[in-house]
Structures are given as structure tokens and as C-alpha cells.
Amino acid sequence: MANENYDILIIGAGFAGVTAARELSQKGYRVLILEARDRLGGRTWCDQKLGRTLEMGGTWVHWFQPHVWSEITRYGLEVIPSPEPKKAYWTANGQGKEGTPEQLFDLLDEANQGLLADTRKYFPLPYEPLTSKELKNIDHLTVSEKIEQLGLNKEIKDLMESLWALNFNGPTERAGITQAMRWAALSDNNWQLMLEICASFKIAKGTKALIESIFSDAKADILYSKVVSQVEKTADGFTIKTKDDKQFNGKSVITTLPINVLNSIDFKPSLSAVKCKAAKEGQASKGIKFWAKVKNFANPFVAFAPVDYPINYAHLEYVEGKDGIIVGFGPDAAKLNPESIYEVEQALRQMKPDLEVIESAGHDWVGDKFSGETWPMQCNNQLTNYLFELQNPEDGLFLAGSDYANGWAGFIDGAIESAFTVSRKTADYLKEQSTKQRTIQ
């Protein structure tokens, strides 16, 4: 393969890379995928933990996400709901409280309505996020600043900070209000529907079943454990070098690296100054996802805790006899080792003191050198300053992935959407190059 010439070299075998490979190979192009890991999936990964298959990364899907839903339909995959919570626990203003989920969300309703009140004004076309000429007027604001402007009491403010730190999987001080509004716009301007879309339905056989189905239709070559070190533009196209001293040639390149690790590759010539700046700055997510099996507790619940806790959100995802399996998140990966039963138990007991953790699991995506982030969420000023340029190709070099999506950035849907767009642009580029070659001859 190293001596072969391909039409397209794709860096990364997550949903964006595999979908692009399918789309382009089915058009007759010769495609090679170079994947740094030993598996498909990127930041979606099913692993055997806690006695069952668990999603260590991306998990949930919804019919409001049209691109992933069309793929689920195409391959006839079953979608199942997560358990509906019957109880809610929350810690705010220094006090632990409990009630029903309806009571908790009623507390948050007015504040979220205020936070997202101007969503339709700024995002009239959710899949064309740069349409409004007024975006610059608000893109500088963070979610934290916008919450402060609402004049909330301490309990509601704490809960709002926790909710949006969950959505961004990072601190609200870096969370762009335009990113929050983008999600709301895609959810029919309904924040409770937005929460349902984010974490209520999953593929019965896991995300692995979907990506393997897509890959099975890709007539592409793939090499695993190939860490790309350099992408160089040549007279004939591109040459990619890997850290094991292999070299691959192609007429075009699609890189699906997350924005936080985009600068790990030496591009020759370098990417545009704006792309480099965006990659250096990174995005907002810096948190952790964990799983915990708890003893003698199998009641469906949802829980929120302050943003300075190691875990700020958890809910029951599976029931096994008298025991339950909890999934949850914290906004700072440095504060929780998801593999430590002791750390996870101590953190969960800040939400519900009587929980006993039997096993725990998780993966540090922020510390992972191939991802550097969890799901991508833009900081303030990043939508108007960077998105257009990140989507702009550079003479046969394209960026694809959830980080660069117009719609559901941060989800599988965004990765697939971006792959569709970039596949079309890549095919157009190759047709144009072929026409130029025939003209010269």
C-alpha cells in the first residue's frame, strides 16, 4: 500500500473518516484510511467493562439528528431508550435536595428560557450557523457571563452552571453562548427537548454496530496503528509520512483529527494562520465520562452537583438484578480517575451519600494523545472567528469531523454531516484536477 497511489488519503477512522471513505469509494475513487488506533470509531468506542458492553465515548442518538438517523434507518439498527428517571437529586447553594425530575426541571425552566431567548434571532437556519449578520454582537459572550446577566438566586444559578458545564463537558467560563444557542436552535428552541436529544436514546447493539455497518459498505483500504506525522503537498498531490517511517501518496487528503490535536501533524506548507490559531486555542471540553456499578441501588434517577465537584452529573443507565450501572460526567478530567473505585465512590457520595461502588470504568479522552478532548464545544468568539476557515479546503486538503460541523457539532450526527459535505467537495476537487490535466495534455 505504501507504494500505491490513491485518489484520497483519509486520516482517521471515526465516523467522519469511515463515512467519507464509503461515499468516495462508492463513486469509484481509490481510498486509503490511516488510523492511529487499532480499531474503528475514534471517540466512539464500545468496551467490555463492568460485566457488559459499555460506550466509553459517544453514545446517544435521536431522530432530531437527521444524518445519523438516516444511517440507522439504512442499516436497520434498533434504537432503545435509556431508563426514564423517577427521582432527582441536586446540590446547590450548599444544600442537598431531592424531588421528581419534573420539579428539578421546573426550577430550571425560566432561567433556560432567558438564557436562550434570542436563539431564533441569531440562528434562523440551524444548519447554516453563520447566516445572521448579528452574530458578532454576542459571540464574545460566555455561558457563564450570560447566566450572570439573568440575576438568578444562588440555587438556580448553581444548577444552571452545572447543567451547562455538563453540556459543554467543561467550564462555563470558556463556553460560548453561541454554541449553546446552536444546540437549542437544532432542538426547535426547546431546552428540555435538547436534553432528551443529548442523552435519552441509544443504538441497541452500540455505536460499534453502526460504524461497522458503514465501513462494510466502504470499498476502501485501511491501515491501523498508523500515526501520521507529516502531510506534504507535492506536484502530484500529497505525501503522508507516518511515525513508523512509512510513506503514502494521494491526490487529496481528508484529515479528521479533532481540533485539539490538529497541530500534532506537520503540514507542509502549514495550514492557514486562522486554522493554526484555532487549533492552538482549542475548544471548551476538558471533562471526563465515567461508569460505575453500584450495589443494591437500581432506581432510575438523575443527579446534578456543583461545577467544582469531580462529578457534576449522573444518571442510572442499566439495571442488573439489585444493582445498577450509573453513567456520569465531570467538567475537569484532572479531578477524577474513572478507573479508581474509591475516587468515583467518594465523588458520587457527594450527590447521594449511601451509594456503594462495586466497579468503575472510563477513558480519559482529554489525556488521549489522539483526541485531546471529549465532544467538541466552541468557546466564545470561535464561531465567527474560526468555523468558516476551518471548513475552507486548502488546495486538496480538507478537514472533516464533528469539530467542523454546521449542525450537531459534538455528536455522531455532526461527524456524518461533515463527512457528506467534505466528500462532495473532495469529489468536485478531483474532477476539477482531472479536467485540468486533460486540458494540459
Side-chain angles (χ1 to χ4, degrees):
M1 291 182 183
N3 295 322
E4 297 183 41
N5 290 310
Y6 288 87
D7 296 310
I8 302 120
L9 302 173
I10 298 177
I11 303 171
F15 273 96
V18 169
T19 302
R22 183 193 66 188
E23 297 300 296
L24 290 161
S25 66
Q26 289 188 352
K27 291 180 182 293
Y29 294 110
R30 300 192 65 220
V31 179
L32 172 66
I33 305 173
L34 299 170
E35 169 54 47
R37 308 180 197 274
D38 60 359
R39 57 171 178 80
L40 299 173
R43 284 170 285 174
T44 54
W45 171 34
C46 295
D47 199 12
Q48 295 298 315
K49 296 283 187 178
L50 280 55
R52 65 178 302 131
T53 301
L54 295 176
E55 298 278 8
M56 309 307 287
T59 306
W60 292 281
V61 296
H62 198 275
W63 49 91
F64 262 67
Q65 298 174 329
H67 305 92
V68 70
W69 200 258
S70 69
E71 296 297 324
I72 289 168
T73 303
R74 180 198 297 241
Y75 295 110
L77 299 177
E78 180 187 4
V79 171
I80 57 175
S82 295
E84 186 173 342
K86 305 300 182 185
K87 194 83 172 179
Y89 305 93
W90 63 94
T91 302
N93 194 24
Q95 295 183 319
K97 295 185 178 182
E98 61 181 74
T100 65
E102 291 76 19
Q103 288 172 323
L104 172 61
F105 293 138
D106 282 348
L107 286 174
L108 288 164
D109 188 56
E110 184 177 351
N112 275 301
Q113 297 285 358
L115 185 80
L116 302 169
D118 293 327
T119 292
R120 195 177 297 277
K121 170 184 175 182
Y122 292 109
F123 295 95
L125 299 172
Y127 284 94
E128 297 178 27
L130 298 174
T131 298
S132 173
K133 303 300 182 184
E134 299 183 66
L135 282 174
K136 276 286 187 182
N137 296 337
I138 62 162
D139 199 27
H140 66 282
L141 286 173
T142 66
V143 170
S144 182
E145 289 169 336
K146 188 67 174 175
I147 289 174
E148 189 67 36
Q149 291 176 7
L150 297 175
L152 306 172
N153 67 42
K154 186 65 164 64
E155 179 184 18
I156 306 303
K157 182 181 177 182
D158 283 355
L159 283 171
M160 285 290 286
E161 290 282 0
S162 181
L163 172 66
W164 285 98
L166 164 68
N167 290 336
F168 278 79
N169 201 218
T172 57
E173 290 82 6
R174 293 193 72 217
I177 189 61
T178 51
Q179 176 69 38
M181 287 183 173
R182 287 174 71 188
W183 275 21
L186 291 158
S187 308
D188 198 28
N189 300 292
N190 183 329
W191 73 271
Q192 292 197 43
L193 174 59
M194 183 189 74
L195 295 187
E196 175 190 296
I197 293 168
C198 290
S200 295
F201 297 90
K202 54 188 183 277
I203 300 170
K205 293 183 178 180
T207 55
K208 181 180 180 181
L210 179 56
I211 198 165
E212 287 181 347
S213 295
I214 295 172
F215 184 66
S216 70
D217 281 343
K219 302 170 185 177
D221 293 330
I222 187 167
L223 292 173
Y224 295 102
S225 302
K226 294 297 177 187
V227 182
V228 172
S229 57
Q230 185 182 95
V231 174
E232 184 174 7
K233 179 69 176 174
T234 66
D236 298 320
F238 291 87
T239 296
I240 285 181
K241 295 179 181 177
T242 56
K243 289 191 175 180
D244 60 354
D245 295 324
K246 302 297 182 182
Q247 184 170 300
F248 305 90
N249 300 312
K251 296 175 183 176
S252 60
V253 170
I254 298 172
T255 175
T256 68
L257 266 65
I259 190 72
N260 277 21
V261 294
L262 185 60
N263 282 342
S264 66
I265 293 178
D266 177 22
F267 291 95
K268 293 187 174 182
S270 67
L271 296 176
S272 70
V274 173
K275 287 187 179 74
C276 291
K277 184 178 179 182
K280 183 178 180 180
E281 190 173 305
Q283 48 75 68
S285 75
K286 53 175 285 188
I288 196 77
K289 177 182 181 180
F290 75 93
W291 293 92
K293 189 171 187 178
V294 292
K295 187 176 181 180
N296 294 328
F297 185 82
N299 301 316
F301 76 96
V302 60
F304 284 92
V307 293
D308 57 350
Y309 282 29
I311 295 170
N312 72 311
Y313 174 83
H315 74 244
L316 188 87
E317 188 67 23
Y318 299 107
V319 174
E320 295 191 344
K322 295 181 178 180
D323 302 330
I325 294 181
I326 292 171
V327 63
F329 300 88
D332 187 347
K335 289 186 176 182
L336 184 75
N337 175 5
E339 300 283 344
S340 168
I341 294 173
Y342 175 79
E343 286 189 31
V344 172
E345 181 176 82
Q346 291 302 304
L348 281 173
R349 284 182 174 179
Q350 291 181 297
M351 293 177 153
K352 196 170 187 313
D354 56 349
L355 289 178
E356 180 181 344
V357 175
I358 304 168
E359 297 178 75
S360 67
H363 180 74
D364 180 7
W365 295 102
V366 176
D368 186 322
K369 63 183 179 181
F370 301 133
S371 58
E373 61 184 64
T374 54
W375 58 90
M377 298 294 281
Q378 288 178 330
C379 302
N380 56 314
N381 290 313
Q382 292 186 338
L383 175 63
T384 54
N385 286 345
Y386 300 145
L387 183 61
F388 178 82
E389 176 58 25
L390 288 169
Q391 295 176 341
N392 191 36
E394 298 193 13
D395 195 17
L397 173 65
F398 303 82
L399 305 186
S402 182
D403 294 57
Y404 318 108
N406 278 326
W408 283 103
F411 286 86
I412 296 169
D413 190 81
I416 295 172
E417 173 226 306
S418 176
F420 287 160
T421 301
V422 168
S423 296
R424 184 182 66 253
K425 290 181 178 180
T426 303
D428 289 346
Y429 169 81
L430 291 173
K431 289 176 186 176
E432 182 183 331
Q433 294 301 110
S434 178
T435 299
K436 286 180 180 179
Q437 287 295 324
R438 289 198 298 269
T439 301
I440 293 172
Q441 293 172 356

